[in-house]
PDB file of all heavy atoms in Angstrom:
ATOM      1  N   GLU A  57     -13.111   9.474 -18.772  1.00 78.00           N
ATOM      2  CA  GLU A  57     -12.906   8.638 -19.949  1.00 78.00           C
ATOM      3  C   GLU A  57     -11.787   7.637 -19.712  1.00 78.00           C
ATOM      4  O   GLU A  57     -11.027   7.758 -18.756  1.00 78.00           O
ATOM      5  CB  GLU A  57     -12.588   9.518 -21.167  1.00 78.00           C
ATOM      6  CG  GLU A  57     -11.450  10.477 -20.934  1.00 78.00           C
ATOM      7  CD  GLU A  57     -11.326  11.489 -22.038  1.00 78.00           C
ATOM      8  OE1 GLU A  57     -12.267  12.249 -22.265  1.00 78.00           O
ATOM      9  OE2 GLU A  57     -10.255  11.491 -22.670  1.00 78.00           O
ATOM     10  N   ARG A  58     -11.708   6.627 -20.548  1.00 78.00           N
ATOM     11  CA  ARG A  58     -10.668   5.586 -20.521  1.00 78.00           C
ATOM     12  C   ARG A  58     -10.644   4.805 -19.214  1.00 78.00           C
ATOM     13  O   ARG A  58      -9.588   4.419 -18.723  1.00 78.00           O
ATOM     14  CB  ARG A  58      -9.296   6.195 -20.799  1.00 78.00           C
ATOM     15  CG  ARG A  58      -9.162   6.852 -22.151  1.00 78.00           C
ATOM     16  CD  ARG A  58      -7.767   7.394 -22.361  1.00 78.00           C
ATOM     17  NE  ARG A  58      -7.233   8.134 -21.226  1.00 78.00           N
ATOM     18  CZ  ARG A  58      -7.297   9.455 -21.065  1.00 78.00           C
ATOM     19  NH1 ARG A  58      -7.886  10.186 -21.977  1.00 78.00           N
ATOM     20  NH2 ARG A  58      -6.778  10.029 -20.010  1.00 78.00           N
ATOM     21  N   GLY A  59     -11.791   4.570 -18.596  1.00 82.00           N
ATOM     22  CA  GLY A  59     -11.836   3.745 -17.399  1.00 82.00           C
ATOM     23  C   GLY A  59     -11.276   4.396 -16.150  1.00 82.00           C
ATOM     24  O   GLY A  59     -10.887   3.705 -15.222  1.00 82.00           O
ATOM     25  N   GLU A  60     -11.209   5.702 -16.117  1.00 89.00           N
ATOM     26  CA  GLU A  60     -10.707   6.405 -14.947  1.00 89.00           C
ATOM     27  C   GLU A  60     -11.856   6.956 -14.128  1.00 89.00           C
ATOM     28  O   GLU A  60     -12.914   7.292 -14.660  1.00 89.00           O
ATOM     29  CB  GLU A  60      -9.798   7.570 -15.350  1.00 89.00           C
ATOM     30  CG  GLU A  60      -8.508   7.145 -15.986  1.00 89.00           C
ATOM     31  CD  GLU A  60      -7.630   8.326 -16.350  1.00 89.00           C
ATOM     32  OE1 GLU A  60      -8.115   9.475 -16.342  1.00 89.00           O
ATOM     33  OE2 GLU A  60      -6.457   8.093 -16.652  1.00 89.00           O
ATOM     34  N   VAL A  61     -11.645   7.037 -12.811  1.00 92.00           N
ATOM     35  CA  VAL A  61     -12.578   7.724 -11.924  1.00 92.00           C
ATOM     36  C   VAL A  61     -11.772   8.749 -11.143  1.00 92.00           C
ATOM     37  O   VAL A  61     -10.593   8.544 -10.844  1.00 92.00           O
ATOM     38  CB  VAL A  61     -13.311   6.764 -10.955  1.00 92.00           C
ATOM     39  CG1 VAL A  61     -14.231   5.829 -11.707  1.00 92.00           C
ATOM     40  CG2 VAL A  61     -12.349   5.984 -10.105  1.00 92.00           C
ATOM     41  N   SER A  62     -12.398   9.878 -10.841  1.00 94.00           N
ATOM     42  CA  SER A  62     -11.705  10.902 -10.065  1.00 94.00           C
ATOM     43  C   SER A  62     -12.570  11.307  -8.880  1.00 94.00           C
ATOM     44  O   SER A  62     -13.795  11.304  -8.945  1.00 94.00           O
ATOM     45  CB  SER A  62     -11.357  12.112 -10.924  1.00 94.00           C
ATOM     46  OG  SER A  62     -12.515  12.822 -11.267  1.00 94.00           O
ATOM     47  N   VAL A  63     -11.880  11.643  -7.805  1.00 95.00           N
ATOM     48  CA  VAL A  63     -12.524  12.067  -6.569  1.00 95.00           C
ATOM     49  C   VAL A  63     -11.928  13.419  -6.198  1.00 95.00           C
ATOM     50  O   VAL A  63     -10.703  13.566  -6.159  1.00 95.00           O
ATOM     51  CB  VAL A  63     -12.269  11.071  -5.422  1.00 95.00           C
ATOM     52  CG1 VAL A  63     -12.960  11.515  -4.151  1.00 95.00           C
ATOM     53  CG2 VAL A  63     -12.706   9.676  -5.811  1.00 95.00           C
ATOM     54  N   VAL A  64     -12.792  14.392  -5.942  1.00 95.00           N
ATOM     55  CA  VAL A  64     -12.337  15.704  -5.511  1.00 95.00           C
ATOM     56  C   VAL A  64     -12.603  15.823  -4.016  1.00 95.00           C
ATOM     57  O   VAL A  64     -13.742  15.690  -3.571  1.00 95.00           O
ATOM     58  CB  VAL A  64     -13.058  16.832  -6.291  1.00 95.00           C
ATOM     59  CG1 VAL A  64     -12.633  18.184  -5.764  1.00 95.00           C
ATOM     60  CG2 VAL A  64     -12.773  16.717  -7.774  1.00 95.00           C
ATOM     61  N   LEU A  65     -11.534  16.031  -3.261  1.00 94.00           N
ATOM     62  CA  LEU A  65     -11.649  16.222  -1.823  1.00 94.00           C
ATOM     63  C   LEU A  65     -11.592  17.720  -1.536  1.00 94.00           C
ATOM     64  O   LEU A  65     -10.642  18.387  -1.948  1.00 94.00           O
ATOM     65  CB  LEU A  65     -10.499  15.525  -1.083  1.00 94.00           C
ATOM     66  CG  LEU A  65     -10.347  14.028  -1.318  1.00 94.00           C
ATOM     67  CD1 LEU A  65      -9.112  13.513  -0.605  1.00 94.00           C
ATOM     68  CD2 LEU A  65     -11.564  13.287  -0.862  1.00 94.00           C
ATOM     69  N   PRO A  66     -12.575  18.243  -0.847  1.00 95.00           N
ATOM     70  CA  PRO A  66     -12.550  19.674  -0.515  1.00 95.00           C
ATOM     71  C   PRO A  66     -11.475  19.936   0.546  1.00 95.00           C
ATOM     72  O   PRO A  66     -10.925  18.993   1.123  1.00 95.00           O
ATOM     73  CB  PRO A  66     -13.949  19.922   0.051  1.00 95.00           C
ATOM     74  CG  PRO A  66     -14.355  18.610   0.612  1.00 95.00           C
ATOM     75  CD  PRO A  66     -13.740  17.573  -0.295  1.00 95.00           C
ATOM     76  N   PRO A  67     -11.169  21.188   0.835  1.00 95.00           N
ATOM     77  CA  PRO A  67     -10.243  21.466   1.935  1.00 95.00           C
ATOM     78  C   PRO A  67     -10.768  20.821   3.224  1.00 95.00           C
ATOM     79  O   PRO A  67     -11.943  20.938   3.558  1.00 95.00           O
ATOM     80  CB  PRO A  67     -10.252  22.991   2.032  1.00 95.00           C
ATOM     81  CG  PRO A  67     -10.672  23.455   0.674  1.00 95.00           C
ATOM     82  CD  PRO A  67     -11.609  22.410   0.167  1.00 95.00           C
ATOM     83  N   LEU A  68      -9.901  20.117   3.926  1.00 92.00           N
ATOM     84  CA  LEU A  68     -10.311  19.353   5.103  1.00 92.00           C
ATOM     85  C   LEU A  68      -9.632  19.809   6.390  1.00 92.00           C
ATOM     86  O   LEU A  68      -9.697  19.118   7.405  1.00 92.00           O
ATOM     87  CB  LEU A  68     -10.029  17.861   4.879  1.00 92.00           C
ATOM     88  CG  LEU A  68     -10.806  17.202   3.748  1.00 92.00           C
ATOM     89  CD1 LEU A  68     -10.269  15.810   3.462  1.00 92.00           C
ATOM     90  CD2 LEU A  68     -12.280  17.145   4.094  1.00 92.00           C
ATOM     91  N   ALA A  69      -8.984  20.969   6.365  1.00 91.00           N
ATOM     92  CA  ALA A  69      -8.253  21.436   7.544  1.00 91.00           C
ATOM     93  C   ALA A  69      -9.174  21.643   8.744  1.00 91.00           C
ATOM     94  O   ALA A  69      -8.751  21.472   9.879  1.00 91.00           O
ATOM     95  CB  ALA A  69      -7.510  22.724   7.221  1.00 91.00           C
TER      96      ALA A  69
END
Side-chain angles (χ1 to χ4, degrees):
E57 53 191 61
R58 299 182 314 266
E60 293 181 347
V61 294
S62 70
V63 181
V64 176
L65 303 176
L68 296 170

